[in-house]
Amino acid sequence: MKLEVLAPCGSREALTAAVRCGADAVYLGTGDFNARRNADNFSIDDLKELVPYCHERGVKVYLTVNTLLSDSELPRALETAAAALQCGTDGFIVQDLGLAKSLRECFPQARLHASTQCSVNTPDGFRALEERGFCRAVLPREMSLKEIEVIRRATDMELEIFVHGALCMCVSGQCYLSAMLGGRSGNRGLCAQPCRLSFSADHSGSYDLSLKDLSLISHLKEIEDAGVISLKIEGRMKRPEYVAAAVTACRKALDGTYAQQDETVLKNVFSRSGFTDGYFTGKRQNMFGTRQKEDVIAADGVLKELARLYEKEPQRIPLSMQLLCKRGQPLSLTVRTADKAVTVSGAKPLEAITGQMTEALLSARLAKLGGTPYYADNITVTLDEGLLVPASMLNALRREAVEALGKEPEKEYIMNKYTPVPPRYQSGTPYFTARFLSAAQIPQQHPFRRIFLPVWADDADFTATGAGAEIPRGLFGAEERLKTRLKELKALGVQNVLCGNLGACRTAEVLGFTVFGDFGLNVFNSESARSVPSPLLSIELTLAQANRINAEDTGIVAYGKLPLMLARNCPVKNRIGCAACGKQGTLTDRKGYRFPVKCSPYPCVEILNPVPLVLSDRIDEIHTDFIHFYFTDESRDEVAQIVNLYKNHTKPSGQYTRGLTDKGVK
């Protein structure tokens, strides 16, 4: 299958640059339901014009509907999808599990692409996406080539990979830093990129959460051999010259002509201290970098030259043309591409008074296709002697035929009615559940209906406490190790598993555990809550929003130092090394707050909020079925004190946060 070069389009000019420089597909957003809400983006009226423009040039159009949606937003998102399908949009890039479920039910023929924001990172995760109706999935940027090859063997879905652009420190879909610090959610398309500010592991003011930009353009042959079919360029917030440079570089790499000077141009147009391929190669040193003054200055020298790449319409599509010029009959012109044919008719040819009209002359006039995406590959003219065809008549006929080629046929699709889930207002006191980092934290007498320990805790801790197992959200390359561990725990009598990832859910279900959904599944609406067992709802919901979620056995995180980031490349290890850290690492921001960094035997580290979320005096406002305690570094005595606060509905003292329970996210 031909590799697809997939380009980002945040504006009309960027779309033009992508198409003219050779993209096979573009992805773009409309309105409020896409992960780059601050880009110029497009309206449905724009799509009516731009989808036919792209299709005429053999370019597919994928619409990003890749944010978390509230119950009230789902109907509008489905209206957008219906209008986009009518325009001829080729697929939808989706994060929200509830939206994916609704799209599948309302538009059975719609192609669903799983956004990298879905956070799947194991073979079972991709199998779970396939079972939920996705035909394509975007691979996490953190995957190595070997891990991608394992995924390829596990699923028949199309795989898409980011090959160039910005690289987030956090696993996509698992970042709550921007939301917690400023109310601007990356899961809702408004990330403020606070990670690009100073977060230092050694208190030096260093930028230990800022990675260099990704570039895998020199690895396209390996990517193709691994079975990936789409090469995605990040950058819907970038200028059109950047899009032109990245698409051109990909095309050159596929043609075997990519050279050092092309990489230099890419670095000049935009980079952060150069590029990295560390995740792909498994060599994760030297991945960190920031945007320097030299990087900005370098861009000035290449922008004009890059703009020339898309100044003119390239003529890439071969066109065969057949003109019938018969006495007493209207002119007839048939034009054909590889997959479409159009015939148009004009006025009758005139009788020649002087001179002789020739087939060669008519062919030369028909071949004037400048300003269109076509070139004349084959022209045949059937001409009766003694006839005259004025140039204006022939030009009008040619223009009409070419314009007809670009028109989209009426789209027919099935649309089933969507019935919104009514809100639920439940009364009653929620029951308690908890996760502990260590069994030593668990009080002898506790009020928790379910408790969980990390899956790597000692066997004796599980048997002594009756705890279930919490599965890490980041399992890159560790699924087989996890399965072995879960089988051991099952033999010990462990029954419950807390899963913050679709892959973990599937793995645990297949092994016969009772599955409970963790906050990492980003359950933001009733539709997604109904597709996850006993879900902990998104930590980005307000209390009022969470209370209205209508699904069985829902809960919220009501206490804990919330994990703000899940990262595969430990920022503390990078700066000071594991020995100096001693598993007590922190990051200090520019205001002096210290963010704990927690590592584990599994591939990722978690960066925690400095102060805990506390809602002990607001229990009466919580109407979900249960509340969840996320214990990290608290002692057993501290745990007991915290539990008493919640039992007695007592207002907390000391430093704490209400999280997003009041203000929510934009």
Side-chain angles (χ1 to χ4, degrees):
M1 188 173 184
K2 176 189 173 185
L3 277 175
E4 173 188 87
V5 175
L6 176 56
C9 297
S11 67
R12 278 176 171 259
E13 192 175 358
L15 185 142
T16 300
V19 173
R20 290 185 174 179
C21 289
D24 300 296
V26 298
Y27 65 103
L28 48 84
T30 63
D32 294 333
F33 307 130
N34 76 93
R36 295 294 182 270
R37 284 163 60 189
N38 285 333
D40 289 347
N41 291 313
F42 301 87
S43 67
I44 293 299
D45 284 340
D46 291 330
L47 290 186
K48 291 176 182 177
E49 174 189 344
L50 296 175
V51 172
Y53 169 85
C54 290
H55 285 179
E56 183 180 11
R57 290 154 180 79
V59 177
K60 292 183 178 179
V61 179
Y62 305 133
L63 186 68
T64 58
V65 201
N66 56 341
T67 58
L68 299 181
L69 301 174
S70 66
D71 281 346
S72 63
E73 292 170 328
L74 272 173
R76 286 195 292 124
L78 292 170
E79 289 172 6
T80 298
L85 279 172
Q86 188 66 46
C87 294
T89 301
D90 298 287
F92 299 99
I93 304 171
V94 181
Q95 172 190 10
D96 191 290
L97 298 178
L99 176 61
K101 174 177 176 287
S102 300
L103 284 170
R104 191 173 65 252
E105 292 171 351
C106 291
F107 313 109
Q109 80 282 33
R111 285 178 53 87
L112 302 185
H113 297 187
S115 168
T116 189
Q117 294 281 116
C118 289
S119 303
V120 294
N121 49 63
T122 62
D124 269 350
F126 284 83
R127 293 185 185 105
L129 288 174
E130 194 168 7
E131 290 164 359
R132 287 173 181 256
F134 289 96
C135 64
R136 179 186 291 194
V138 187
L139 293 158
R141 295 170 175 88
E142 296 81 9
M143 277 194 166
S144 70
L145 174 60
K146 289 183 179 179
E147 289 162 355
I148 292 168
E149 291 170 342
V150 172
I151 298 299
R152 175 70 287 162
R153 292 192 293 270
T155 177
D156 292 328
M157 275 197 304
E158 296 175 357
L159 298 181
E160 182 175 303
I161 187 173
F162 279 99
V163 296
H164 191 79
L167 191 58
C168 294
M169 182 68 189
C170 185
V171 174
S172 293
Q174 300 301 306
C175 186
Y176 310 102
L177 185 67
S178 178
M180 288 294 294
L181 298 189
R184 293 179 56 181
S185 168
N187 285 315
R188 299 268 292 163
L190 286 176
C191 180
Q193 298 188 6
C195 53
R196 300 297 181 183
L197 301 174
S198 175
F199 284 85
S200 178
D202 61 0
H203 313 292
S204 67
S206 52
Y207 294 77
D208 294 334
L209 292 181
S210 183
L211 294 176
K212 295 178 180 179
D213 280 17
L214 167 75
S215 193
L216 302 181
I217 294 177
S218 61
H219 296 284
L220 297 195
K221 183 64 170 66
E222 297 164 85
I223 290 170
E224 182 178 21
D225 291 344
V228 177
I229 63 100
S230 183
L231 310 173
K232 188 170 193 173
I233 300 163
E234 184 277 338
R236 280 194 289 138
M237 298 290 290
K238 299 287 200 317
R239 60 195 308 154
E241 293 90 345
Y242 165 92
V243 175
V247 172
T248 300
C250 286
R251 290 259 69 99
K252 286 188 172 183
L254 292 174
D255 294 340
T257 60
Y258 184 67
Q260 181 59 50
Q261 64 188 38
D262 300 305
E263 183 170 317
T264 300
V265 169
L266 277 179
K267 285 180 180 177
N268 288 344
V269 71
F270 194 94
S271 75
R272 292 180 173 90
S273 309
F275 298 137
T276 180
D277 59 3
Y279 286 132
F280 185 80
T281 61
K283 300 174 182 178
R284 296 194 288 273
Q285 302 79 20
N286 303 316
M287 287 183 64
F288 293 77
T290 57
R291 184 89 167 135
Q292 301 292 323
K293 181 180 179 181
E294 303 82 59
D295 299 324
V296 178
I297 294 172
D300 293 336
V302 298
L303 293 179
K304 287 184 179 179
E305 192 64 32
L306 289 171
R308 294 193 184 99
L309 293 175
Y310 58 93
E311 274 181 345
K312 296 179 180 179
E313 177 82 69
Q315 294 174 283
R316 295 194 179 97
I317 304 172
L319 194 65
S320 65
M321 311 174 80
Q322 182 179 12
L323 177 68
L324 295 178
C325 186
K326 306 288 286 183
R327 182 170 278 101
Q329 298 179 15
L331 286 172
S332 176
L333 177 62
T334 299
V335 293
R336 289 187 176 85
T337 62
D339 54 8
K340 193 173 182 180
V342 169
T343 298
V344 296
S345 298
K348 295 177 182 179
L350 306 177
E351 293 292 335
I353 299 173
T354 59
Q356 178 68 37
M357 178 71 70
T358 65
E359 294 174 355
L361 178 60
L362 290 173
S363 295
R365 289 178 179 174
L366 286 173
K368 293 181 178 179
L369 293 164
T372 77
Y374 307 104
Y375 66 89
D377 183 48
N378 179 43
I379 300 176
T380 60
V381 175
T382 302
L383 174 64
D384 285 351
E385 291 186 7
L387 296 180
L388 172 67
V389 181
S392 59
M393 185 187 297
L394 190 63
N395 291 342
L397 196 66
R398 184 192 63 235
R399 282 195 299 270
E400 182 183 353
V402 169
E403 287 173 4
L405 273 179
K407 290 182 180 178
E408 286 280 293
E410 285 292 321
K411 300 294 180 182
E412 294 184 4
Y413 59 92
I414 300 169
M415 180 175 177
N416 299 320
K417 184 179 179 181
Y418 173 68
T419 303
V421 177
R424 179 186 70 165
Y425 297 90
Q426 179 183 330
S427 59
T429 303
Y431 67 87
F432 294 0
T433 68
R435 67 82 76 176
F436 297 89
L437 193 58
S438 165
Q441 299 171 290
I442 304 174
Q444 290 293 334
Q445 301 295 323
H446 64 73
F448 303 113
R449 184 177 298 185
R450 294 187 296 272
I451 61 173
F452 298 92
L453 289 169
V455 71
W456 62 81
D458 291 341
D459 290 357
D461 291 337
F462 284 103
T463 55
T465 63
E470 177 197 52
I471 298 180
R473 290 173 289 153
L475 285 166
F476 300 91
E479 184 174 270
E480 290 306 313
R481 177 155 59 103
L482 172 69
K483 288 180 179 179
T484 298
R485 179 57 179 152
L486 287 176
K487 290 173 184 176
E488 293 171 351
L489 292 177
K490 192 167 182 62
L492 291 173
V494 174
Q495 297 178 345
N496 297 337
V497 176
L498 185 62
C499 303
N501 182 281
L502 279 180
C505 289
R506 190 183 189 279
T507 298
E509 286 170 358
V510 170
L511 292 176
F513 288 90
T514 301
V515 172
F516 298 88
D518 207 352
F519 67 87
L521 290 165
N522 291 323
V523 173
F524 208 81
N525 54 62
S526 297
E527 295 287 1
S528 53
R530 290 179 171 212
S531 67
V532 173
S534 301
L536 273 171
L537 303 176
S538 167
I539 61 177
E540 296 185 340
L541 288 170
T542 64
L543 275 182
Q545 288 173 319
N547 287 338
R548 289 195 294 268
I549 297 294
N550 190 345
E552 185 178 348
D553 200 29
T554 62
I556 62 166
V557 178
Y559 173 81
K561 293 180 179 176
L562 299 177
L564 303 184
M565 273 193 173
L566 180 73
R568 188 165 191 187
N569 197 346
C570 178
V572 178
K573 178 181 179 180
N574 173 73
R575 176 60 58 179
I576 64 174
C578 292
C581 168
K583 297 187 177 181
Q584 300 297 317
T586 61
L587 294 172
T588 305
D589 73 0
R590 67 195 192 285
K591 295 181 179 180
Y593 288 103
R594 301 183 70 175
F595 295 72
V597 179
K598 297 295 183 183
C599 58
S600 79
Y602 281 80
C604 293
V605 300
E606 290 186 323
I607 300 167
L608 308 182
N609 205 35
V611 296
L613 166 72
V614 183
L615 299 176
S616 57
D617 55 329
R618 300 183 66 178
I619 295 294
D620 292 339
E621 300 174 42
I622 302 173
H623 304 309
T624 55
D625 297 285
F626 65 95
I627 62 172
H628 188 67
F629 294 73
Y630 190 86
F631 293 116
T632 51
D633 54 7
E634 297 86 354
S635 68
R636 179 179 293 180
D637 288 342
E638 288 171 333
V639 168
Q641 293 169 13
I642 291 163
V643 169
N644 282 332
L645 287 178
Y646 281 79
K647 283 183 175 179
N648 300 318
H649 301 195
T650 305
K651 188 172 183 177
S653 59
Q655 286 191 318
Y656 63 91
T657 179
R658 300 297 193 182
L660 297 163
T661 55
D662 289 325
K663 62 185 179 181
V665 291
K666 297 178 181 177

